[in-house]
Amino acid sequence: MGMCTLRPSISLERPLNWDRRTLLKLAGGAGAASALAPLMPAWAQSQSRGLGPTLPTLSGPDVALTIGHSAFRLGRRTGHAVTVNGTLPAPLIRLREGQNVRLAVTNTLEEDTSIHWHGILLPFQMDGVPGVSFPGIGPGETFVYEFPIRQSGTFWYHSHSGLQEAMGHYGPMIIDPAGADPVAFDREHVLVLSDWSFLHPHEILRRLKVSPGYFNRQRTTVAGLISGEDGMGFAERRMWAQMRMDPRDISDVTGSTYTYLVNGHGPDDNWTALFEPGERVRLRIINASAMTNFNVRIPGLPMSVVQADGENVRPVEVDEFQI
């Protein structure tokens, strides 16, 4: 599974009978933020016209990727991003089971970089974790990842160098099965969920090291203890204090600092995916965030989970799921 903490990807399928321009909304844990369209790959842009053919992607067996700096705009602010081929998220790479792929990655940064192929079965030298399975990709260097594709499903890729992943160095990877796909669908959309902050990730980490609860805006208080508003007695409060933990610290960094993105889009963009009435739509949903859990639902429409982490599963109908 590689050398990093698992963040699952989930595929959903469900017949949709809404009007053509009904948009797929992500609610709950997934907030939002906006970005400049030119910085987004075609697959990630909202579809405002016609339904047309599948948007272009990078296909195997030979793929060229360049890692560099880009400006990323969110609302009225512009920040610094580390991108792949100049887009955030990175290009969608589409491969097929049975291919022997060659992914040439060129580093134009002034620091080392890398790409880890999350969840992909491959030789350890190709896993992309600097200091563990390979030395990393130095400034001005090109490294060619080459390995056979032995599986299919929804996956993603990202940097394993420094905190580049939190700065935009991540993208989706879809591997089609060699034979017929057991999941029938008329149309599919890829949704990459992520979090973004104009506060540099190294500064975020520094503040967390100074105070683990630095970004926690919902701490318990003495007044809450006295009034009972905090919902816990003195003994329980004492237990949390002994553990030096905040009982309301669900996530180290919250929406007070992060803005949440869907394919690089936020609330001002309102990412939209079109479909024809009656079509069965497959949503390939990937959590590429630095540390955020998302609750996903389409109001009023049940969904069927048909795959998780690249493994087909017996369909499970849900109104909402956490990823």
Side-chain angles (χ1 to χ4, degrees), residues 204-226:
I204 291 177
L205 183 60
R206 187 194 69 81
R207 296 185 188 188
L208 287 173
K209 287 183 175 181
V210 171
S211 174
Y214 183 92
F215 296 101
N216 185 1
R217 302 293 188 265
Q218 302 184 77
R219 295 182 180 179
T220 54
T221 63
V222 174
L225 172 64
I226 296 173

Side-chain angles (χ1 to χ4, degrees), residues 73-153:
R73 184 174 178 180
L74 198 58
R76 297 182 178 180
R77 301 182 65 185
T78 301
H80 168 228
V82 175
T83 59
V84 180
N85 289 12
T87 68
L88 191 165
L92 168 60
I93 298 177
R94 190 132 204 165
L95 306 173
R96 180 169 292 278
E97 184 181 12
Q99 284 182 323
N100 192 73
V101 299
R102 292 171 296 278
L103 303 115
V105 181
T106 300
N107 180 16
T108 66
L109 302 173
E110 296 77 33
E111 61 188 41
D112 286 2
T113 191
S114 59
I115 290 183
H116 167 65
W117 312 100
H118 195 110
I120 304 299
L121 303 172
L122 38 64
F124 75 91
Q125 304 93 329
M126 300 290 121
D127 192 53
V129 181
V132 177
S133 59
F134 88 132
I137 308 171
E141 294 181 352
T142 296
F143 183 85
V144 179
Y145 295 86
E146 184 170 1
F147 50 88
I149 299 297
R150 302 162 49 196
Q151 65 205 105
S152 63

Side-chain angles (χ1 to χ4, degrees), residues 6 35 45 51 70 118 127 179 187 194 237 260-261 263 283 299:
L6 177 66
Q45 296 177 21
L51 292 173
S70 297
H118 195 110
D127 192 53
R187 184 186 306 277
S194 59
R237 286 280 293 270
Y260 303 108
L261 309 179
N263 290 349
L283 305 179

Side-chain angles (χ1 to χ4, degrees), residues 252-268:
D252 288 335
V253 184
T254 65
S256 63
T257 304
Y258 278 141
T259 303
Y260 303 108
L261 309 179
V262 179
N263 290 349
H265 293 68
D268 296 332

Side-chain angles (χ1 to χ4, degrees), residues 25-314:
K25 295 180 180 178
L26 296 181
S34 74
L36 287 176
L39 189 58
M40 298 172 191
W43 65 268
Q45 296 177 21
S46 289
Q47 299 173 36
S48 58
R49 302 186 183 92
L51 292 173
T54 303
L55 293 171
T57 62
L58 299 180
S59 301
D62 293 290
V63 175
L65 303 172
T66 300
I67 300 171
H69 299 288
S70 297
F72 180 68
R73 184 174 178 180
L74 198 58
R76 297 182 178 180
R77 301 182 65 185
T78 301
H80 168 228
V82 175
T83 59
V84 180
N85 289 12
T87 68
L88 191 165
L92 168 60
I93 298 177
R94 190 132 204 165
L95 306 173
R96 180 169 292 278
E97 184 181 12
Q99 284 182 323
N100 192 73
V101 299
R102 292 171 296 278
L103 303 115
V105 181
T106 300
N107 180 16
T108 66
L109 302 173
E110 296 77 33
E111 61 188 41
D112 286 2
T113 191
S114 59
I115 290 183
H116 167 65
W117 312 100
H118 195 110
I120 304 299
L121 303 172
L122 38 64
F124 75 91
Q125 304 93 329
M126 300 290 121
D127 192 53
V129 181
V132 177
S133 59
F134 88 132
I137 308 171
E141 294 181 352
T142 296
F143 183 85
V144 179
Y145 295 86
E146 184 170 1
F147 50 88
I149 299 297
R150 302 162 49 196
Q151 65 205 105
S152 63
T154 303
F155 303 96
W156 67 301
Y157 62 100
H158 57 87
S159 173
H160 237 295
S161 300
L163 299 179
Q164 295 170 5
E165 177 191 324
M167 299 177 69
H169 186 341
Y170 53 81
M173 173 180 282
I174 307 301
I175 303 176
D176 295 309
D181 196 319
V183 179
F185 57 93
D186 303 307
R187 184 186 306 277
E188 70 175 25
H189 294 293
V190 179
L191 287 80
V192 177
L193 311 180
S194 59
D195 42 32
W196 170 267
S197 176
F198 286 101
L199 187 63
H200 195 283
H202 284 286
E203 178 59 20
I204 291 177
L205 183 60
R206 187 194 69 81
R207 296 185 188 188
L208 287 173
K209 287 183 175 181
V210 171
S211 174
Y214 183 92
F215 296 101
N216 185 1
R217 302 293 188 265
Q218 302 184 77
R219 295 182 180 179
T220 54
T221 63
V222 174
L225 172 64
I226 296 173
S227 67
E229 181 182 352
D230 288 344
M232 64 176 68
F234 179 78
E236 191 173 358
R237 286 280 293 270
R238 184 168 179 268
M239 176 190 71
W240 282 102
Q242 288 176 332
M243 294 189 294
R244 297 178 179 269
M245 294 177 65
D246 290 333
R248 292 177 174 175
D249 183 15
I250 296 176
S251 181
D252 288 335
V253 184
T254 65
S256 63
T257 304
Y258 278 141
T259 303
Y260 303 108
L261 309 179
V262 179
N263 290 349
H265 293 68
D268 296 332
D269 291 324
N270 204 6
W271 185 84
T272 304
L274 301 181
F275 50 85
E276 295 282 7
E279 284 187 323
R280 183 179 296 270
V281 179
R282 181 174 190 167
L283 305 179
R284 296 184 181 268
I285 301 175
I286 299 168
N287 183 357
S289 67
M291 66 171 66
T292 302
N293 296 322
F294 293 96
N295 295 317
V296 180
R297 68 178 180 270
I298 302 175
L301 183 71
M303 302 172 287
S304 293
V305 178
V306 296
Q307 190 183 93
D309 301 315
E311 294 293 329
N312 294 319
V313 299
R314 180 178 299 174

Side-chain angles (χ1 to χ4, degrees), residues 7-47:
R7 300 186 199 97
S9 59
I10 292 182
S11 291
L12 304 164
E13 58 88 16
R14 188 70 179 173
L16 300 178
N17 296 303
W18 301 346
D19 292 337
R20 179 179 178 186
R21 291 190 176 274
T22 303
L23 47 98
L24 305 174
K25 295 180 180 178
L26 296 181
S34 74
L36 287 176
L39 189 58
M40 298 172 191
W43 65 268
Q45 296 177 21
S46 289
Q47 299 173 36

